[in-house]
Amino acid sequence: MPSINYRLDDLRALLALHGSGSFVRAAEQLHITQPAFSRRIAQLEAALGGALVERTTRKVAMTTLGLDLVRNAGPLLEQLDETLAETARCARGESGRLSVACLTTVAYALLPPIMRAFQQRYPQLRLHLRDDTGQRVVQAVLQREAEFGVGVLNNLPPDIISQHCADDPYVIAFAPGHPLERMRKVPWRTLSAHRVVALRSTSANRQQIDAALTEAGVTPPWFDEVEHLSSMLGLLRGGVGIGVLPRWALHSADATELRTRPLVEPAIVRPIGLLRRRDALLSQPAQVLWQLLQVQLAPGAPAKTQSALTTAQSAGNGLLPLQRRASRTRQATSSRAQRKTP
């Protein structure tokens, strides 16, 4: 079926004419002159190839063709207007949903104050938080299941852009009264004398630790092994061994009774930060949440959350620094390409 070259403004003019019954009133309703209004009707008739309006000296009436078009197109145009309005509300964060992927340990430890501030700014926006492992956070971002993520910045694929925010050190955790409680810092080599519970060998944390210990010439001290962090915390609370885990994992309610000490020689940390697809343009609400997380993940962050919200609210009307840099990069690339074109 051949396409018809018409303008929405011309169609709106026909609907206004049908509603008002007068060229003069319809032109006033659309805030244009009567000659300009008449041209819109004529342009639509020319595009469709038939008369839509019967013009007499006494009245204006629709032809059968015009009435059929008004009856069929009117509801469709109203639906289009509402769809566009809803899209604009979503873009401003007044409606819709924002999907973000986040490490489970970070979600538990640091998100509550951020979410309170974010909800003040966007009370009608629903948040879909995909709290998961570091590897799955990256996959959710790559597969466009999340606008951006909070994850571990190790071995990221080239399609991901990241911004480092903080380091989460690995610590040794144990029940109160354990002999290690007398030490201020615990060298890795001393763990070989204890029953150390480890996460499964396929976990990203375990792989990072094993690689760092091997590089330092230290034999990994693992004895028992569990699949999930919650299982490890349960064993440690019951006094069954000691466990190595990220410090932020101890914000869980299951870990409040445990004691910890820093691990040294070597000191190993998880680099934590924000990540997004290289080709992604964050929505306005996502930009605001990105900046709130950036501030909250930094040392001494809780006192900064409200000021960060104020800054993010202003930045939400434009682009945050990372977004601006990406935009400038695309513009520069486009300019170079144009200069190379003969």
Side-chain angles (χ1 to χ4, degrees), residues 34-268:
Q34 186 174 341
F37 182 87
S38 297
R39 283 195 298 273
R40 291 189 181 183
I41 299 297
Q43 288 169 175
L44 185 59
E45 290 177 325
L48 298 176
L52 302 173
V53 179
E54 295 176 350
R55 300 168 177 83
T56 67
T57 56
R58 294 184 177 182
K59 64 178 181 177
V60 174
M62 294 285 164
T63 66
T64 301
L65 187 66
L67 284 174
D68 286 343
L69 179 57
V70 167
R71 290 167 183 158
N72 291 323
L76 295 177
L77 195 57
E78 289 180 5
Q79 184 178 357
L80 174 62
D81 289 341
E82 177 54 34
T83 299
L84 293 174
E86 175 62 18
T87 301
R89 287 192 290 269
C90 290
R92 295 190 299 267
E94 298 170 4
S95 182
R97 185 180 76 165
L98 172 62
S99 294
V100 176
C102 183
L103 284 169
T104 302
T105 50
V106 173
Y108 190 98
L110 301 176
L111 277 193
I114 296 175
M115 294 315 304
R116 284 194 295 270
F118 187 72
Q119 288 170 0
Q120 291 176 11
R121 175 67 176 85
Y122 299 106
Q124 301 302 319
L125 183 64
R126 298 186 299 276
L127 179 69
H128 181 198
L129 181 64
R130 302 176 63 92
D131 49 321
D132 214 322
T133 64
Q135 294 168 333
R136 290 177 179 170
V137 165
V138 173
Q139 287 303 310
V141 174
L142 282 175
Q143 296 171 8
R144 302 175 184 270
E145 296 170 355
E147 274 205 59
F148 71 89
V150 184
V152 181
L153 307 185
N154 286 331
N155 304 316
L156 295 177
D159 291 336
I160 290 291
I161 290 178
S162 64
Q163 181 172 351
H164 178 260
C165 296
D167 289 323
D168 185 18
Y170 290 98
V171 298
I172 188 67
F174 42 81
H178 193 277
L180 291 178
E181 194 170 0
R182 295 192 294 269
M183 303 178 66
R184 295 183 60 187
K185 297 180 180 180
V186 178
W188 280 92
R189 296 183 188 276
T190 64
L191 298 184
S192 60
H194 302 275
R195 192 179 188 115
V196 183
V197 181
L199 289 173
R200 64 190 184 280
S201 59
T202 57
S203 75
N205 290 347
R206 170 76 175 275
Q207 291 174 355
Q208 181 194 2
I209 294 172
D210 287 351
L213 292 179
T214 299
E215 183 178 355
V218 178
T219 302
W222 317 126
F223 193 92
D224 296 317
E225 187 175 291
V226 296
E227 286 287 319
H228 301 289
L229 181 62
S230 56
S231 300
M232 178 188 288
L233 293 174
L235 293 176
L236 301 185
R237 289 179 63 195
V240 182
I242 60 177
V244 175
L245 66 168
R247 185 174 60 189
W248 281 349
L250 294 162
H251 286 262
S252 166
D254 293 334
T256 54
E257 301 172 4
L258 298 177
R259 304 291 185 266
T260 65
R261 292 295 181 268
L263 285 165
V264 295
E265 301 175 15
I268 308 174

Side-chain angles (χ1 to χ4, degrees), residues 3 10 25 31 61 90 148 208 210 241 243 249 251 281 324 336 342:
S3 61
D10 298 344
R25 288 192 294 271
H31 306 289
C90 290
F148 71 89
Q208 181 194 2
D210 287 351
H251 286 262
L281 287 175
R324 288 195 291 267
R336 286 194 297 270

Side-chain angles (χ1 to χ4, degrees), residues 15-36:
L15 295 176
L17 181 60
H18 177 261
S20 65
S22 163
F23 272 79
V24 174
R25 288 192 294 271
E28 292 175 349
Q29 180 181 329
L30 297 181
H31 306 289
I32 59 177
T33 65
Q34 186 174 341

